[in-house]
Amino acid sequence: MLSRIPFDRVNWTTSSFLIGTLALTLTAVPLYLWRFGLDWFQLTLFVTSLFFTGLSITLGYHRLFSHLAFRAKWPVRLFVLLFGAGAFENSALMWASEHRRHHKHVDHDDDPYDISKGFFHAHIGWLLFKLLPQPPFDNVADLKKDRLVMWQHRHIQTLALLVSLGLPALLGALWNGWSGALGGLLLAGVAKVVLLQHCTFLINSACHTVGHQPYSARCSARDSSLMALFTFGEGYHNYHHEFQHDYRNGVKRWQFDPTKWTIWALSKLGLTDGLRRVPNATIEAAEQRQRRDTVMVAKQGGESDSESFSDKSTLTTQAFSAS
Ligand SMILES: [Zn+2]
Ligand SMILES: [Zn+2]
């Protein structure tokens, strides 16, 4: 087993971080809770921190910077760049470059989290091992003109440490001294990062494996209401791959998409505008086409089954007549 790991390609910094934070969450966090318990302050800090950071990734890194699905005023862009850094998922510039390549080459070699290489690779393997050759960084010329994006890119490590770990530790210290600081660091800091990262990774792994394909079967992306619960509404991934510039992922009224609701609410406050929507007629046409294709594939499957059945019966008859 160990001999099969390509040690020359291990990304040691990223691997140590991912494995180290997971180990702390599974050991130090339960120990802290057992020793000090969980008060309302630590719980509120954890939930708020998780929510701010998660939305910064889905609303900011994903729908705003990677897909330009709407425009946002500078306070929103600054907020998502600061809290997005706290997810320890690299800068918005790098994230968007990788994500745009995912959409362009989905299910093929140039897709950084190509699901055809397996669930583990798409979930976390692509981060543990360096991609060879190093992919070009040539699809984010528009973002390189954004001064806030470039500022975040230059200071990403410092911002991530300060916002994600320093801030909760400081707020915890102000609330309850050194034990409060330790709680803030472990719960709203480390545990939040681990939970959030695996929720993001689920979009690349589970959302290309589990669920339905109501809009298209051209790629492996799938819609899953269950995944939407863990991914701030990004679980409707089949729709998203078919209509990637729409600011909505859960396009139906009943679908759980808090990222869409937040973008819409911010537009009512004048903080976002230019929300891009695919016309209903185009969406319905895609659904009808996909239903028709599914019926045709099922029919062809049925016909080939009955063909092979009749082939078998002919063979059996011939065998009987020969005897
Ligand atoms: Zn995808
Ligand atoms: Zn996308």
Side-chain angles (χ1 to χ4, degrees), residues 17-134:
F17 182 85
L18 291 171
I19 295 166
T21 48
L22 179 64
L24 275 176
T25 304
L26 296 175
T27 55
V29 170
L31 273 174
Y32 175 87
L33 292 173
W34 173 70
R35 173 72 179 77
F36 297 101
L38 180 65
D39 61 32
W40 68 267
F41 180 83
Q42 292 290 357
L43 183 64
T44 309
L45 193 60
F46 171 77
V47 172
T48 311
S49 185
L50 184 72
F51 208 77
F52 281 2
T53 316
L55 271 181
S56 294
I57 293 295
T58 59
L59 183 150
Y61 274 38
H62 187 212
R63 301 191 201 184
L64 175 63
F65 293 122
S66 300
H67 292 299
L68 315 175
F70 60 98
R71 288 187 297 266
K73 295 273 173 7
W74 73 263
V76 175
R77 296 201 337 271
L78 180 63
F79 182 94
V80 296
L81 287 168
L82 285 175
F83 282 92
F88 282 93
E89 295 184 15
N90 221 323
S91 66
L93 190 72
M94 192 66 94
W95 201 104
S97 174
E98 279 163 347
H99 192 70
R100 287 177 184 182
R101 236 177 23 259
H102 166 63
H103 275 270
K104 189 172 176 192
H105 303 287
V106 62
D107 301 334
H108 291 89
D109 272 353
D110 287 336
D111 173 359
Y113 16 95
D114 175 12
I115 192 71
S116 66
K117 294 191 176 75
F119 191 94
F120 180 80
H121 170 83
H123 191 77
I124 198 170
W126 71 283
L127 288 163
L128 301 178
F129 302 99
K130 285 186 199 122
L131 293 169
L132 291 175
Q134 286 293 308

Side-chain angles (χ1 to χ4, degrees), residues 99 102-103 106 111 113 203-204 207-208 219-221 237 240-241:
H99 192 70
H102 166 63
H103 275 270
V106 62
D111 173 359
Y113 16 95
I203 302 167
N204 304 330
C207 292
H208 280 267
C219 75
S220 58
H237 208 54
H240 175 60
H241 267 269

